[in-house]
Amino acid sequence: MEKHLLLLYCCKSYPTTKRNRQMQTQYINEWLDIPELKIHQLLSIHDDEVHIEALPLDDKQICPCCDSDQAVIRKGSNGMRTVRHLSVFEKKTYLHVPTIRMFCSNCEAGFVWAYDFVGPKQRYSRLFRSHTVEQALGSTAAHGARIQQAPASTVQRMHNEAVPALCDALYKQVWEEAKETAELVLGVDDFAIKKGHTYNTGIHNLKGETMLDLLPGRKLEALRAYAQAHPEFLRLDPKAVVMDLAQAYHTWISECFPKAIRIADRFHVHGYVIESVQEVRKTVQPTLSPRAKTYLKANHRLLNPPAESLSEESAKKLDTMLNYSPLLRSMWEWKEAFTTWYDCSPNYTVAKLGFERWCTQGDQIDHAAVQSALKTMRNWQEEIVNYHQCRWTNATVEGRHNRIKAFQRRHYFTRNRSRYKAGILIECNRHRMLSY
């Protein structure tokens, strides 16, 4: 902020004395923070543009052929090169630097002065490009173009050029962290590209809060093919792996990591119980009076969350609904008992006994939805109770899926698979870019 104020000061109209010109260039040098350049003069200041002439500090450069500057001489200039730099006060900033011709008498090679702050034959500085790419990562090219006052095609091209290298660096970093993490906990879950048709599977480091990889499909054949093609995945040593109740995932993990604790994700398990509560509600609803039926239908979502999370007004509405039917009340109490079992079981042994008591409580409810849910719970009893050996869930993974869906909507489901994968990995690991 101080540098911006200094630039604002120097951009005002002052008498063009030699002393004032020196003050202006001094402040602009501080703002630009480009050590290889010194500001020669302000060329022009318009409503939306600032043009600055800058010169290199050194007299000569090392020859790219012989790596020596002993025999290098200047041989004139091909004119001025215009480079777009970071904007200030919503003004586009342009640096005008000379394209100096150099000649090395040792190897008789001619070359042009190379600037570190901008790439060869590029019209945008490295800082401008990196800042533009950073803004475009969490947004769209059109939005980044409006902020930077640059063409959308230019922003898109900068984004596409930066993504592969950025993805490779992030990919390497998150995998190194996973290998070094003690008692690593992995999360495996799928998300839809086209719901009901095409899916991807994500592998996540729950402790490190990073996404490790993305593989196409969710069937067992695709999972096994990934493990064979990526030996670094098999070299991981996770303490536990959190998954939903898909049999393919549990079979795959038991083959890859037989010593790991397989945990059924609490969010998905709880979903089966809530679904059975709503099935009972749909059965009870037609038997009520029109007024009670309307009231129950309008407030049916109050049956899902824990009672302690409801406000006083919502708790009163819930109590009114439960008074409509003893079956609905016993079903809701069974659901609440499951939440209490998850939250209050102190260890694995107590949790196993509590789970059996909860199943016995459910056996007393005479409803097909309850019996179906109990059948699923008993089939996956070990994986569900394993939560109390290692209390991890895929909650962060579900949040990451929301970011992935937003990415897919912004990029209209990119057809290029490698670019699509790189974009998702960057989107999910963007917080790690701060360490670069």
Side-chain angles (χ1 to χ4, degrees), residues 278-305:
Q278 293 298 334
E279 287 297 323
V280 171
R281 189 264 307 171
K282 293 176 183 178
T283 304
V284 170
Q285 197 167 280
T287 66
L288 303 177
S289 65
R291 184 176 179 180
K293 177 181 177 180
T294 302
Y295 191 85
L296 181 59
K297 186 175 181 179
N299 300 284
H300 70 277
R301 289 186 178 85
L302 295 178
L303 295 168
N304 298 342

Side-chain angles (χ1 to χ4, degrees), residues 174 202-204 210-214 400 404 424-425 428-429:
V174 297
I203 304 172
H204 307 261
T210 56
M211 185 175 187
L212 295 178
D213 214 342
L214 178 71
R400 212 164 280 145
I404 291 173
I424 288 180
L425 290 175
C428 294
N429 297 316

Side-chain angles (χ1 to χ4, degrees), residues 154-206:
T154 300
V155 175
Q156 185 67 54
R157 185 179 68 254
M158 291 179 181
H159 178 271
N160 293 341
E161 291 173 355
V163 159
L166 184 58
C167 177
D168 291 342
L170 282 172
Y171 187 86
K172 182 179 179 181
Q173 180 185 1
V174 297
W175 275 92
E176 288 298 326
E177 289 179 1
K179 292 174 185 177
E180 296 173 0
T181 300
E183 296 187 343
L184 174 68
V185 180
L186 297 179
V188 178
D189 202 5
D190 61 77
F191 62 91
I193 299 177
K194 185 177 180 182
K195 202 160 185 73
H197 296 271
T198 313
Y199 290 83
N200 282 332
T201 297
I203 304 172
H204 307 261
N205 176 4
L206 299 183

Side-chain angles (χ1 to χ4, degrees), residues 128-130 132-142 144 151-167 407 410-411 414 419-420 422-424 426-427 430 433:
F128 181 91
R129 295 172 71 91
S130 62
T132 302
V133 169
E134 184 179 349
Q135 287 185 329
L137 287 177
S139 181
T140 61
S153 58
T154 300
V155 175
Q156 185 67 54
R157 185 179 68 254
M158 291 179 181
H159 178 271
N160 293 341
E161 291 173 355
V163 159
L166 184 58
C167 177
F407 171 84
R410 289 199 308 268
H411 292 267
T414 307
R419 188 175 296 169
Y420 170 79
I424 288 180
I426 292 174
E427 184 72 17
R430 200 153 32 113
M433 292 171 58

Side-chain angles (χ1 to χ4, degrees), residues 136-368:
L137 287 177
S139 181
T140 61
H143 179 70
R146 286 194 296 270
I147 294 176
Q148 295 290 355
Q149 302 178 27
S153 58
T154 300
V155 175
Q156 185 67 54
R157 185 179 68 254
M158 291 179 181
H159 178 271
N160 293 341
E161 291 173 355
V163 159
L166 184 58
C167 177
D168 291 342
L170 282 172
Y171 187 86
K172 182 179 179 181
Q173 180 185 1
V174 297
W175 275 92
E176 288 298 326
E177 289 179 1
K179 292 174 185 177
E180 296 173 0
T181 300
E183 296 187 343
L184 174 68
V185 180
L186 297 179
V188 178
D189 202 5
D190 61 77
F191 62 91
I193 299 177
K194 185 177 180 182
K195 202 160 185 73
H197 296 271
T198 313
Y199 290 83
N200 282 332
T201 297
I203 304 172
H204 307 261
N205 176 4
L206 299 183
K207 270 194 169 182
E209 297 184 350
T210 56
M211 185 175 187
L212 295 178
D213 214 342
L214 178 71
L215 57 118
R218 59 176 180 175
K219 294 184 178 179
L220 186 57
E221 295 78 11
L223 301 174
R224 285 171 172 166
Y226 171 83
Q228 292 177 358
H230 296 79
E232 69 274 10
F233 173 71
L234 297 175
R235 286 195 289 268
L236 295 176
D237 186 24
K239 175 185 177 181
V241 182
V242 184
M243 302 161 282
D244 58 18
L245 301 184
Q247 183 61 56
Y249 287 145
H250 288 266
T251 302
W252 180 51
I253 292 300
S254 62
E255 293 173 355
C256 296
F257 310 112
K259 296 181 181 179
I261 302 171
R262 290 181 287 112
I263 302 173
D265 180 44
R266 176 174 176 173
F267 173 82
H268 292 88
V269 173
H270 209 78
Y272 284 96
V273 179
I274 291 176
E275 185 179 347
S276 62
V277 172
Q278 293 298 334
E279 287 297 323
V280 171
R281 189 264 307 171
K282 293 176 183 178
T283 304
V284 170
Q285 197 167 280
T287 66
L288 303 177
S289 65
R291 184 176 179 180
K293 177 181 177 180
T294 302
Y295 191 85
L296 181 59
K297 186 175 181 179
N299 300 284
H300 70 277
R301 289 186 178 85
L302 295 178
L303 295 168
N304 298 342
E308 60 184 16
S309 67
L310 297 177
S311 63
E312 184 177 351
E313 181 182 356
S314 297
K316 290 180 180 179
K317 291 181 179 180
L318 176 62
D319 189 60
T320 302
M321 291 191 298
L322 296 179
N323 287 333
Y324 291 152
S325 167
L327 175 61
L328 187 60
R329 179 175 288 278
S330 61
M331 187 66 188
W332 178 83
E333 291 174 349
W334 182 63
K335 185 267 296 184
E336 285 294 301
F338 193 57
T339 303
T340 304
W341 172 80
Y342 256 120
D343 292 336
C344 301
S345 298
N347 54 55
Y348 176 80
T349 304
V350 175
K352 194 170 184 180
L353 295 173
F355 185 82
E356 292 173 357
R357 285 195 300 269
W358 177 79
C359 290
T360 304
Q361 180 183 350
D363 289 332
Q364 298 173 5
I365 303 174
D366 186 16
H367 195 279

